[in-house]
Amino acid sequence: MPKTNEMPKINEGGCQYIKAATDAIKGAGSMRDLYVAIYGVQPTRYQYQTFINRLNPSRANPGTDMLGACVENLPSLHDLTLKEFFGIGSTKK
């Protein structure tokens, strides 16, 4: 692979899936309550801002580790199917 000074382009093909997933997570409660439910402690200001950014689809694309931690620790997500979680087949975009 040739070296380049350009940042690689973000693949925007699946943006609707990450938006649906982060919307499902954020629908489970306030951001501070979500942080405490996932990590078990109150966040510092820096940790809180980082957490908010990780769940903002226009700023980040949370990895499966983050999505898994959210689903594991947020009971309201336990019964969602993958189709529901990722908004597949829904009319919302």
Side-chain angles (χ1 to χ4, degrees):
M1 174 179 262
K3 290 186 179 182
T4 179
N5 291 333
E6 292 182 31
M7 173 134 339
K9 301 268 188 224
I10 295 174
N11 179 357
E12 295 181 2
C15 289
Q16 75 272 20
Y17 304 130
I18 200 60
K19 174 145 180 24
T22 55
D23 285 350
I25 293 165
K26 290 187 277 187
S30 75
M31 294 301 279
R32 189 168 299 278
D33 289 345
L34 296 177
Y35 187 97
V36 172
I38 293 166
Y39 298 109
V41 295
Q42 288 291 330
T44 65
R45 193 168 74 171
Y46 174 77
Q47 290 168 327
Y48 183 64
Q49 189 60 53
T50 300
F51 182 70
I52 289 171
N53 288 342
R54 284 195 76 189
L55 292 177
N56 180 346
S58 64
R59 295 190 59 110
N61 187 345
T64 55
D65 60 332
M66 178 69 168
L67 296 176
C70 291
V71 171
E72 180 180 15
N73 292 290
L74 302 173
S76 65
L77 302 178
H78 290 177
D79 294 327
L80 289 181
T81 66
L82 286 174
K83 186 174 179 177
E84 293 167 332
F85 185 68
F86 288 110
I88 297 172
S90 77
T91 56
K92 290 194 316 186
K93 294 262 178 174

